[in-house]
Amino acid sequence: MPDTSNQPEIMQRLAKKVAERRTFAIISHPDAGKTTLTEKLLLYGGAIQEAGAVKARRATRHATSDWLEIEKQRGISVSSSVMQFEYADTTINLLDTPGHEDFSEDTYRVLTAVDAAVMVIDAAKGVEAQTIKLLAVCRLRNTPIITFVNKFDREVRGPLDILQEVEETLKIDCAPVTWPIGMGKSFRGVYDLQRDHLVKFTSGKEKQGTDQQVIEGLDNPLLDTLYPDEIETFREEVELLREASDPFDLEMFLAGMQTPVFFGSGINNFGVQEVLDALVGWAPQPQLRAALSREVAPAEKPFSGFVFKIQANMDPKHRDRIAFFRICSGEYKPGIKTRHLRLDRELRIGNALTFMANTRVASEEAYAGDIIGIHNHGQLQIGDTLSEGENLTFTGIPYFAPELFLAARPEDPFKAKQLAKGLKQLGEEGAVQVFTNDLGRMLLGAVGRLQFEIVAHRLSAEYGVEAKYEPVEIHTARWLSFPDEITRHDFQKRELASMALDVDGNPVFLANSKYKLSLTQEKWNTVGFHATREHGQVLSQG
Ligand code: G4P
């Protein structure tokens, strides 16, 4: 039952804390400039003092952590992390997402923990494959999106061309908030269509962005003096734009139907502050969250939230595993007692962590929207809900049916136990999905091939198990649900060779071809075949 002891003053205090929070992720295709933008946002928040710190942090991680070696070799960012900073009296939680498509499942789950997203587009390349996928995920939950079109200090595509592509490809209305004058060597700056002023472009990788030069009004004669060759055409363009394009509409944005668009150059710290101001001014505060029994409001007194990611080896000195937990309501205080619904027991959170740009500190207090790190000794899995008292299960944190499969067996048969233990833990982290069939064979399922490489590397480095990975003839997996025990029994008897159990003991059908899947579905038309499953929910009924 919901806690009824919500005294008005406590709720008022919590409502204020919630209103002061923003939680968002940056999404982009690799190389569009996500890391660069992250870094500049952190500069504004005073979370780092010099540009280069995020990349430097990545470099130190590379130097000290074994398995992240793969990231370095491949020049990609595999792991996602969380950073909290303050800006304009607002506590901002920024969630990094791995850009590589092989980790889309991880990215998906990160996106379930945010209330808004910033989409970075490389102005030379336009809308790229990974952006399309990530945006589709945001659209599932109608997450409001702010768009930053990056790299205008280079020769890029025209702004109209890019907007058209965004609208057509991503099926979202664009409302330009700023508009660029020129590009590359003749990039002059952006015109702020709302504030009616031009912000002059100045280059400089190290600048803080506080030294903006602004020229008020489109008719300002100073513009004729400064840009005699281009200003007339630009004025016409702006007039046209004002007539032809949709103005920014807060409601449409909050409904995920329209995206405000900003132009700039992340590396030159140009156009970045506008994005941050939009986040604080327009992006939603932490929202209601759906649980199985009801929706949970962020200013409710009892503490609640869910685990959306588990990351190992964040601190290589400690070999630790941290569960990233999004708070959905109430207040975290050290030592808080919560109910762990899946394990049906109490869990006390003694020393949760808050993640800053390049350090983590003991969290003293945290509220809805904040992401805290909980030391995990195996008790927490992705999708787990913790709540103060009430039996809650937050929904919407799914596992996807893998499309790539390998069988794993230890090179040394005496290491079977270690292999099983390693795979269980890596499965719990969401690094890979693990299935066991009737013959005791361990099958690994992944959405992207790189996941296998990481698992092999980590099994060897962390669990001391060298394994053999063999191809298997499996095309896809489906979680099963049965209308009754008799059907379950019959199905298991006849289809045993194609069945396995996942880490939580749910029955899974492993089809060796699309054809086999549809044939089996036709044959067993009362059985449910599910392409996703929600964590912690054992599918029993169809
Ligand atoms: P990502 O996280 O989305 O993968 O992109 P990242 O920020 O690492 O940027 C990818 C490349 O694009 C980097 O160059 C970065 O310097 C460059 N970049 C980012 N923003 C801008 C911009 O506004 N203008 C220009 N011209 N370039 C930009 P790199 O050569 O791969 O790395 P580095 O040597 O600069 O670190």
Side-chain angles (χ1 to χ4, degrees):
M1 285 296 291
D3 187 325
T4 48
S5 65
N6 279 344
Q7 297 104 340
E9 60 274 27
I10 297 179
M11 283 191 75
Q12 233 173 20
R13 190 173 68 83
L14 288 176
K16 185 167 177 292
K17 295 286 183 188
V18 172
E20 291 164 357
R21 278 166 163 76
R22 298 289 180 276
T23 303
F24 77 103
I26 306 186
I27 55 173
S28 76
H29 192 84
D31 265 354
K34 182 164 59 78
T35 312
T36 309
L37 182 66
T38 304
E39 185 159 282
K40 304 298 174 182
L41 293 175
L42 294 174
L43 269 177
Y44 279 105
I48 54 172
Q49 267 60 52
E50 51 183 317
V54 174
K55 290 210 165 160
R57 191 181 69 123
R58 259 197 203 176
T60 357
R61 272 189 0 209
H62 289 153
T64 49
S65 165
D66 275 352
W67 70 275
L68 289 167
E69 190 65 21
I70 293 179
E71 285 190 18
K72 193 172 74 180
Q73 285 162 8
R74 301 215 167 213
I76 53 163
S77 164
V78 170
S79 47
S80 56
S81 44
V82 171
M83 285 157 266
Q84 190 180 76
F85 62 97
E86 303 285 322
Y87 176 77
D89 298 326
T90 307
T91 299
I92 298 185
N93 294 284
L94 193 171
L95 279 62
D96 194 11
T97 54
H100 197 285
E101 60 174 347
D102 281 12
F103 302 97
S104 48
E105 202 176 5
D106 195 20
T107 303
Y108 183 96
R109 291 192 286 246
V110 170
L111 290 176
T112 62
V114 301
D115 303 298
V118 170
M119 168 168 75
V120 184
I121 289 180
D122 181 328
K125 296 185 177 152
V127 178
E128 296 175 86
Q130 191 60 6
T131 317
I132 298 175
K133 282 193 194 159
L134 291 170
L135 201 88
V137 171
C138 291
R139 302 301 293 277
L140 289 176
R141 301 177 64 242
N142 296 327
T143 307
I145 312 279
I146 294 170
T147 302
F148 182 64
V149 185
N150 193 24
K151 305 196 184 180
F152 257 79
D153 58 307
R154 284 193 185 162
E155 291 305 323
V156 290
R157 285 164 53 181
L160 269 179
D161 188 24
I162 294 169
L163 289 198
Q164 202 178 354
E165 186 172 275
V166 170
E167 293 203 333
E168 280 170 13
T169 318
L170 302 176
K171 305 275 182 287
I172 186 165
D173 286 348
C174 290
V177 181
T178 64
W179 198 251
I181 311 186
M183 65 175 70
K185 284 200 177 65
S186 54
F187 183 40
R188 307 298 182 206
V190 294
Y191 197 79
D192 190 321
L193 296 162
Q194 292 192 329
R195 293 180 184 143
D196 219 5
H197 65 213
L198 179 120
V199 188
K200 268 179 81 175
F201 174 65
T202 44
S203 66
K205 291 186 183 178
E206 306 302 327
K207 76 186 162 79
Q208 297 276 344
T210 42
D211 49 354
Q212 278 195 344
Q213 295 175 36
V214 167
I215 302 171
E216 296 294 340
L218 199 57
D219 298 332
N220 196 322
L222 190 56
L223 293 175
D224 298 85
T225 320
L226 283 171
Y227 315 117
D229 297 335
E230 50 250 86
I231 196 62
E232 269 322 305
T233 325
F234 184 72
R235 282 185 177 129
E236 281 167 26
E237 207 171 294
V238 169
E239 289 311 323
L240 199 74
L241 198 70
R242 283 197 162 131
E243 281 164 29
S245 69
D246 293 331
F248 173 70
D249 181 326
L250 187 62
E251 268 179 38
M252 293 259 290
F253 161 67
L254 292 175
M257 291 157 70
Q258 188 198 60
T259 175
V261 182
F262 296 84
F263 294 85
S265 168
I267 196 118
N268 289 293
N269 204 358
F270 186 77
V272 174
Q273 188 169 3
E274 286 79 356
V275 172
L276 202 46
D277 288 339
L279 266 169
V280 171
W282 299 336
Q285 61 183 55
Q287 298 288 292
L288 284 171
R289 287 273 152 174
L292 275 183
S293 48
R294 64 181 186 96
E295 287 198 317
V296 177
E300 285 179 26
K301 182 171 164 276
F303 170 85
S304 72
F306 62 89
V307 176
F308 62 94
K309 180 179 174 62
I310 291 176
Q311 196 167 336
N313 298 343
M314 288 189 60
D315 184 347
K317 280 179 287 196
H318 294 108
R319 290 249 146 169
D320 56 355
R321 290 206 290 163
I322 300 288
F324 285 84
F325 185 89
R326 149 104 193 195
I327 301 179
C328 296
S329 69
E331 178 176 10
Y332 164 80
K333 287 273 184 205
I336 192 168
K337 284 184 187 146
T338 68
R339 182 106 210 113
H340 189 324
L341 188 68
R342 184 177 53 83
L343 299 183
D344 193 23
R345 71 171 174 90
E346 187 183 280
L347 186 91
R348 191 178 158 274
I349 315 172
N351 50 350
L353 300 165
T354 297
F355 302 93
M356 320 299 267
N358 34 25
T359 161
R360 58 195 212 182
V361 296
S363 183
E364 293 301 325
E365 53 175 41
Y367 302 89
D370 287 342
I371 311 297
I372 53 172
I374 304 175
H375 293 280
N376 183 22
H377 310 289
Q379 77 278 34
L380 289 170
Q381 295 182 10
I382 292 168
D384 278 346
T385 296
L386 299 179
S387 70
E388 224 177 346
E390 188 181 348
N391 276 351
L392 283 174
T393 303
F394 287 104
T395 57
I397 310 125
Y399 281 76
F400 295 93
E403 308 244 305
L404 303 167
F405 296 86
L406 286 178
R409 66 182 167 89
E411 282 193 9
D412 174 356
F414 291 106
K415 295 232 166 158
K417 252 194 180 160
Q418 272 106 315
L419 178 68
K421 181 182 169 210
L423 285 178
K424 183 173 180 290
Q425 293 198 348
L426 293 173
E428 282 164 7
E429 276 175 36
V432 75
Q433 293 189 46
V434 184
F435 306 97
T436 317
N437 74 4
D438 189 48
L439 304 169
R441 204 171 183 208
M442 304 212 75
L443 300 161
L444 310 186
V447 176
R449 197 154 289 284
L450 262 179
Q451 286 179 258
F452 290 140
E453 272 188 52
I454 298 225
V455 164
H457 190 91
R458 290 187 55 189
L459 276 174
S460 157
E462 293 166 32
Y463 299 90
V465 188
E466 299 302 328
K468 279 205 161 73
Y469 301 93
E470 291 150 353
V472 280
E473 232 186 278
I474 301 172
H475 169 76
T476 191
R478 289 290 180 272
W479 282 278
L480 297 164
S481 61
F482 301 98
D484 49 58
E485 275 309 308
I486 298 172
T487 317
R488 175 197 288 267
H489 187 77
D490 276 359
F491 189 94
Q492 275 174 347
K493 208 163 123 193
R494 284 163 202 262
E495 306 290 344
L496 194 64
S498 302
M499 283 183 72
L501 296 179
D502 72 6
V503 274
D504 283 343
N506 296 308
V508 180
F509 183 73
L510 302 171
N512 57 15
S513 70
K514 233 187 205 163
Y515 177 70
K516 166 82 180 171
L517 177 63
S518 53
L519 208 68
T520 315
Q521 276 173 310
E522 266 171 44
K523 193 165 135 199
W524 299 88
N525 57 14
T526 59
V527 174
F529 292 76
H530 308 271
T532 57
R533 93 166 158 98
E534 294 249 336
H535 189 81
Q537 267 182 281
V538 179
L539 299 162
S540 52
Q541 296 298 310

